[in-house]
Amino acid sequence: MNKKQTNLEKYSVPEREFRPSIHPIIAVSDVCKNYKKLEVLNHVDLYVKQGEVVAIIGPSGSGKSTLLRCINRLETIRSGGIYYKNEDITVGGNKKLNSVRMHIGMVFQHFNLFPHLTVLQNITLGPIHLKKMKKEDANKKAEELLEMVGLLDKKDVYPEMLSGGQKQRIAIARTLAMEPDVILFDEPTSALDPEMVGEVLQVMKNLAKSGMTMIIVTHEMGFAREVASKVVFMDAGEITASGTPEKIFTNCENERVRAFLEKVL
């Protein structure tokens, strides 16, 4: 990847010294979620401190994406609580919902760009309408972010003219334009051709170095091992193992985790 595509440092804060807070920035406490009779999340606890990169791994159907969607209030929980800076975010109307999504951004598997808007318009839509930013300021910020992800030359094109990797980098830039405290990534590379995966992972690696708090559902085990500060393994709606990458990938005593990793590594 060329220098232009990886120049995140120019527009982000330098790597930060980790300073743990009394309360985690995101706390998932005893959360249960079901679809009719199907239990999708079963008494899930997850605590994420500011600056942490948490990778959530596990088999398909284990509840990983549902957990992210609950944190972003795209799904409602049956019981338990989800807290942002010690405030319950599972309650409240549209005003509270907009606040949640300004502070907790989300990057989806299938990009979710608006096809009728240009790249620049996709990025500035949220800041202009939700944050009430002036159009000129929003455009300037969007152009900085596009240069950061190596796609400034694509600002006036429409999503259909982009590759999958380019679309996902635009989706990340769009999320960053809202200046969130936390970004949720829902399998951000699973819809990409193999040769496009690296360019997206490089942007995410640079975000991790900048100190961005991230929760990432991923099947990219090498990325999780290299970048995550904590790895969480989910199976059948439960978190069955959690720890440092070394603990999960090298010294895990959980037989289910070892069996899963033997198949995917």
Side-chain angles (χ1 to χ4, degrees):
M1 185 172 297
N2 61 43
K3 185 177 180 181
K4 182 180 178 183
Q5 290 176 320
T6 60
N7 195 22
L8 180 66
E9 292 80 4
K10 183 177 179 180
Y11 299 106
S12 64
V13 297
E15 192 167 353
R16 305 170 185 168
E17 179 183 355
F18 179 66
R19 297 179 180 178
S21 57
I22 297 174
H23 301 290
I25 191 168
I26 295 289
V28 177
S29 179
D30 199 31
V31 164
C32 295
K33 165 72 181 177
N34 63 286
Y35 298 116
K36 295 183 178 180
K37 294 183 178 180
L38 178 63
E39 192 79 25
V40 185
L41 298 176
N42 185 19
H43 299 285
V44 170
D45 294 309
L46 177 65
Y47 303 97
V48 182
K49 294 179 181 178
Q50 187 169 356
E52 279 193 312
V53 178
V54 178
I56 304 178
I57 65 173
S60 298
S62 58
K64 305 184 300 296
S65 294
T66 299
L67 177 57
L68 290 195
R69 292 174 65 84
C70 288
I71 294 173
N72 199 240
R73 280 191 58 177
L74 291 167
E75 301 282 356
T76 57
I77 63 175
R78 190 186 80 228
S79 61
I82 300 176
Y83 303 87
Y84 164 73
K85 292 186 175 179
N86 212 34
E87 180 182 1
D88 191 345
I89 60 176
T90 64
V91 296
N94 289 335
K95 185 176 180 180
K96 181 68 168 289
L97 181 60
N98 288 337
S99 176
V100 169
R101 292 179 181 168
M102 279 195 286
H103 295 296
I104 306 172
M106 188 158 181
V107 176
F108 298 88
Q109 179 180 352
H110 294 289
F111 326 125
N112 286 14
L113 299 176
F114 293 106
H116 63 290
L117 300 179
T118 66
V119 163
L120 191 71
Q121 290 168 336
N122 264 281
I123 295 173
T124 60
L125 186 66
I128 290 173
H129 291 280
L130 293 178
K131 300 190 74 172
K132 308 302 179 184
M133 187 180 290
K134 292 181 180 179
K135 184 176 180 180
E136 295 79 8
D137 294 336
N139 285 346
K140 181 180 178 181
K141 178 68 174 179
E143 289 178 354
E144 290 177 351
L145 291 169
L146 284 170
E147 185 171 354
M148 180 191 79
V149 298
L151 293 172
L152 181 58
D153 60 327
K154 303 294 184 183
K155 69 176 184 176
D156 295 319
V157 308
Y158 290 87
E160 66 179 9
M161 302 172 67
L162 302 173
S163 69
Q166 290 171 334
K167 289 177 183 177
Q168 196 59 290
R169 282 186 280 157
I170 296 300
I172 294 172
R174 178 181 61 181
T175 300
L176 289 170
M178 295 298 291
E179 300 180 329
D181 292 324
V182 182
I183 301 181
L184 313 175
F185 290 85
D186 187 11
E187 300 190 28
T189 61
S190 63
L192 302 180
D193 293 333
E195 65 268 23
M196 298 177 184
V197 170
E199 63 192 39
V200 174
L201 293 182
Q202 186 60 55
V203 172
M204 294 171 65
K205 288 177 183 179
N206 289 338
L207 280 175
K209 291 178 182 178
S210 79
M212 175 62 70
T213 306
M214 299 191 286
I215 308 175
I216 307 166
V217 170
T218 183
H219 292 293
E220 300 289 341
M221 297 299 127
F223 172 80
R225 190 169 192 166
E226 176 185 353
V227 177
S229 49
K230 179 164 63 178
V231 178
V232 171
F233 181 83
M234 290 190 69
D235 187 32
E238 299 180 355
I239 292 178
T240 59
S242 177
T244 64
E246 181 180 6
K247 176 182 177 182
I248 297 300
F249 288 102
T250 306
N251 301 314
C252 190
E253 298 178 358
N254 187 298
E255 292 184 6
R256 178 68 183 96
V257 177
R258 292 204 305 267
F260 172 80
L261 292 175
E262 286 175 2
K263 292 180 180 179
V264 300
L265 291 178

